[in-house]
Amino acid sequence: MRSRLRKIIPFLILAPVLPVATSAAASQAKIALTADILSTNPGVNRDDNTDGVLLNIVEGLVGYGEGGTVKPLLARSVDISGDGLIYTFKLREGVTFQNGAAFTSADVLWNWKRYTDPATKWRCLPDVNGTNSLKVTSVEAPDAETVVIHLDRPSALFLDTLARTDCGGSGMLSSASLNSDGSWNKPIGTGPYELVDWKKGQSISLKKFDGYKSPDGTGFDGYVGDKTPHVDGATFVVVPDASTVKAALLSGDIDVAQALTSDVSELKSAKGIVVLTPSDASKHALLFQTNDPLFKDIKFRQAIATALDITQLVGFASDGLSEPSNSAVFGASPYNDDVQKKTFQYDPQKAKELLAQSSYKGETIKLLANKRAPMPSAQVALVAQSMLQAVGIKVEIEVLEWATQLEKYNSGDYQMMSFSYSSRLDPALSFDQFTGDKTRQPRKIWDNPDALALVDKAKIITDPAKRQQIFDQLHEMMLADAPLIILYNGLTAWAYRERVENFKPWEGKPRLWGMMVAQ
């Protein structure tokens, strides 16, 4: 990119939904999903499973590289004007949709009009229509290979918005993806795999797009790089029960699946099974409601932070697979420098001293958690309860259904919560997940005005050195304020049969390109 961007279903019923190879030479992969996808409409009705499937089908103008840097994808270059208000995308030549139609700038205009129509209900519309400050004022196509997008203000995050997986990667679709009445039919994208069918509650079948043109690049690089498809077809099979998944892997009925971290040791010792445990940018944390009479006391929050042996806590919660990190900047980010590695210091004696100086008078604290796999919420809560009680803080754990906990999180109705944040690759977006004005957004955790001003600045400034200074300053402030305790970045355990080669999941999602399956 130019100038560094200047400026459960029982397993017994699975067999009928698995595809049968059309010839002896065809290679097919069977991948277990913990839950069904929500739709086939990118960035609209979605969750992580939905994103993980659809990003094998659709591509956007840009995409994330492995370290969280945004790079060209359907664009071959991106040029940003000196004032940061004009983005010029030059499109790659020879790219076609899965129905054979050529991809041109006219398709970008059609997609942008559709995404920004409120009726589409695109998740990321507020990030480009002025609701969340930034507004795209116009989009032009001066020729078939050029798209020009105008912003109302400079932004360090505009390209990140286009690349975000929860935005469906702003995937470019053929207009034939819609029915004649304008309703949704199915995604016809430019990605390495195309949708065959979706049997709701059972399976999603994909096949290799023979006309796929990979972007330039070598090896795996997030959602860019070499994306050549090798497997002829893949079926994602819905198998919610972890024990059923494990049995299917061991019997060979499933090729690839997510696994519980508690099953990793057993699976590693099983014959014919390979296990991967890549970390990602999700964050597991303990949240404090600083509007609560007790938790608004900084000494009380600091007492909790120093009472926790985070190394031991993380080891237990992750079955020994993760390392502690108190940073909002994920480990593979180029912004994860030595300052980001500074941590809360475990000191039970200091915790008792801080507790004596605080407003805490022996009240019982309620700690909310859930048991939704693979979240470590309940495990974190149990260890934290034990460590806090050791210094004299009474803690009662309340385990909730995930939907109920999420409702309480969004409304700010809690004292303390064991919670997980999904991946945000740019540090400004990661900090933005938990910083903000609580009077307007009750789910926000940290409302320190100085921190909010720094996050706002990081959303505008594009210079990497200046952004590094901001993120380092935010990290030091977060350790001092302790509005929450980020414990560690998440990981997703994956297991696959030895007949599978070159399977490389990323950010908790399966990438089908590059993967091969032996007959």
Side-chain angles (χ1 to χ4, degrees):
M1 196 174 287
R2 233 180 281 173
S3 306
R4 288 182 54 85
L5 290 184
R6 272 197 319 250
K7 275 265 174 192
I8 233 160
I9 62 173
F11 192 73
L12 289 175
I13 73 169
L14 291 180
V17 302
L18 298 181
V20 177
T22 57
S23 72
S27 58
Q28 301 285 334
K30 294 170 285 185
I31 304 166
L33 279 183
T34 56
D36 199 7
I37 62 175
L38 300 181
S39 80
T40 60
N41 199 343
V44 179
N45 183 17
R46 44 75 54 198
D47 60 5
D48 275 352
N49 275 353
T50 308
D51 299 340
V53 171
L54 293 183
L55 288 170
N56 290 283
I57 300 172
V58 302
E59 299 174 316
L61 295 175
V62 294
Y64 275 120
E66 216 84 346
T69 302
V70 181
K71 300 179 179 182
L73 185 46
L74 289 178
R76 69 173 186 266
S77 67
V78 183
D79 186 77
I80 305 175
S81 63
D83 60 7
L85 300 179
I86 304 173
Y87 287 66
T88 301
F89 300 82
K90 290 293 185 179
L91 305 184
R92 287 166 45 213
E93 299 176 359
V95 175
T96 63
F97 288 109
Q98 291 148 358
N99 61 359
F103 168 68
T104 71
S105 60
D107 297 297
V108 179
L109 294 184
W110 181 86
N111 276 275
W112 191 258
K113 182 179 180 180
R114 176 180 175 269
Y115 277 130
T116 54
D117 181 349
T120 302
K121 298 183 180 179
W122 186 39
R123 172 183 173 85
C124 298
L125 178 58
D127 296 310
V128 298
N129 72 353
T131 301
N132 294 337
S133 73
L134 177 69
K135 184 175 183 178
V136 172
T137 57
S138 65
V139 182
E140 305 160 0
D143 60 56
E145 295 180 3
T146 307
V147 176
V148 181
I149 298 180
H150 296 257
L151 310 183
D152 69 339
R153 65 192 66 194
S155 172
L157 299 178
F158 174 58
L159 293 178
D160 288 83
T161 297
L162 297 185
R164 275 165 45 190
T165 59
D166 61 315
C167 302
S170 307
M172 293 292 106
L173 298 159
S174 165
S175 59
S177 300
L178 304 185
N179 295 310
S180 58
D181 62 357
S183 61
W184 179 254
N185 183 14
K186 68 174 185 178
I188 300 173
T190 63
Y193 287 86
E194 55 184 296
L195 180 67
V196 175
D197 63 26
W198 173 24
K199 295 181 173 68
K200 293 186 178 182
Q202 298 182 48
S203 65
I204 308 99
S205 296
L206 277 58
K207 68 176 181 179
K208 180 172 68 173
F209 173 31
D210 289 328
Y212 180 69
K213 184 172 182 179
S214 176
D216 293 335
T218 57
F220 288 90
D221 188 9
Y223 281 103
V224 296
D226 182 1
K227 297 177 66 176
T228 304
H230 297 294
V231 177
D232 294 294
T235 295
F236 292 90
V237 186
V238 181
V239 194
D241 181 67
S243 61
T244 303
V245 170
K246 183 168 64 174
L249 272 168
L250 294 172
S251 68
D253 289 319
I254 286 289
D255 297 310
V256 180
Q258 289 187 27
L260 298 178
T261 55
S262 56
D263 286 334
V264 165
S265 180
E266 178 186 352
L267 289 170
K268 280 185 174 180
S269 63
K271 185 178 180 180
I273 300 292
V274 179
V275 179
L276 301 175
T277 55
S279 62
D280 55 48
S282 63
K283 301 178 291 291
H284 303 305
L286 288 168
L287 314 183
F288 304 142
Q289 178 49 266
T290 57
N291 283 339
D292 181 84
L294 275 176
F295 283 92
K296 70 170 50 175
D297 184 345
I298 190 171
K299 287 190 180 293
F300 183 57
R301 301 197 303 269
Q302 290 172 338
I304 292 175
T306 53
L308 298 176
D309 183 341
I310 294 177
T311 299
Q312 184 180 10
L313 188 158
V314 170
F316 177 84
S318 70
D319 294 289
L321 298 174
S322 292
E323 296 294 328
S325 173
N326 300 143
S327 173
V329 181
F330 78 111
S333 170
Y335 292 105
N336 193 284
D337 63 357
D338 288 342
V339 174
Q340 298 297 326
K341 293 176 172 57
K342 291 184 179 180
T343 64
F344 293 104
Q345 297 299 308
Y346 173 54
D347 188 339
Q349 184 56 43
K350 184 178 180 181
K352 291 178 181 179
E353 293 171 2
L354 287 166
L355 199 59
Q357 298 166 20
S358 75
S359 55
Y360 181 70
K361 303 301 178 185
E363 300 93 330
T364 297
I365 302 304
K366 183 167 286 188
L367 170 55
L368 303 186
N370 69 79
K371 287 188 176 180
R372 184 190 186 201
M375 290 183 182
S377 177
Q379 297 95 312
V380 167
L382 283 170
V383 180
Q385 178 191 47
S386 176
M387 292 176 176
L388 295 179
Q389 288 178 339
V391 300
I393 301 175
K394 298 176 183 177
V395 178
E396 174 189 340
I397 297 174
E398 183 177 2
V399 178
L400 305 173
E401 293 294 326
W402 167 240
T404 303
Q405 186 188 24
L406 190 60
E407 180 181 337
K408 287 184 173 292
Y409 163 77
N410 284 325
S411 64
D413 181 19
Y414 62 91
Q415 285 185 299
M416 187 174 174
M417 180 179 288
S418 177
F419 192 77
S420 297
Y421 287 102
S422 57
S423 295
R424 293 292 184 272
L425 300 184
D426 186 275
L429 290 172
S430 182
F431 277 106
D432 191 58
Q433 284 182 299
F434 56 84
T435 58
D437 183 349
K438 291 183 183 225
T439 63
R440 295 177 54 202
Q441 296 176 291
R443 74 178 185 277
K444 297 296 187 177
I445 311 302
W446 195 20
D447 56 359
N448 180 317
D450 293 335
L452 302 191
L454 286 172
V455 173
D456 286 343
K457 188 181 293 186
K459 293 177 181 178
I460 298 171
I461 293 173
T462 58
D463 179 76
K466 292 179 180 178
R467 298 188 94 218
Q468 185 74 68
Q469 292 175 356
I470 292 172
F471 299 139
D472 288 350
Q473 189 175 349
L474 280 167
H475 183 66
E476 303 255 30
M477 289 173 61
M478 190 171 65
L479 292 179
D481 274 8
L484 78 170
I485 301 174
I486 297 173
L487 301 167
Y488 66 107
N489 288 123
L491 60 78
T492 305
W494 293 87
Y496 59 90
R497 303 290 303 178
E498 281 186 342
R499 78 186 193 102
V500 176
E501 296 180 26
N502 219 29
F503 173 67
K504 302 288 184 182
W506 187 66
E507 285 299 311
K509 299 175 180 63
R511 296 181 291 190
L512 299 182
W513 55 88
M515 180 175 68
M516 291 173 280
V517 179
Q519 298 303 303

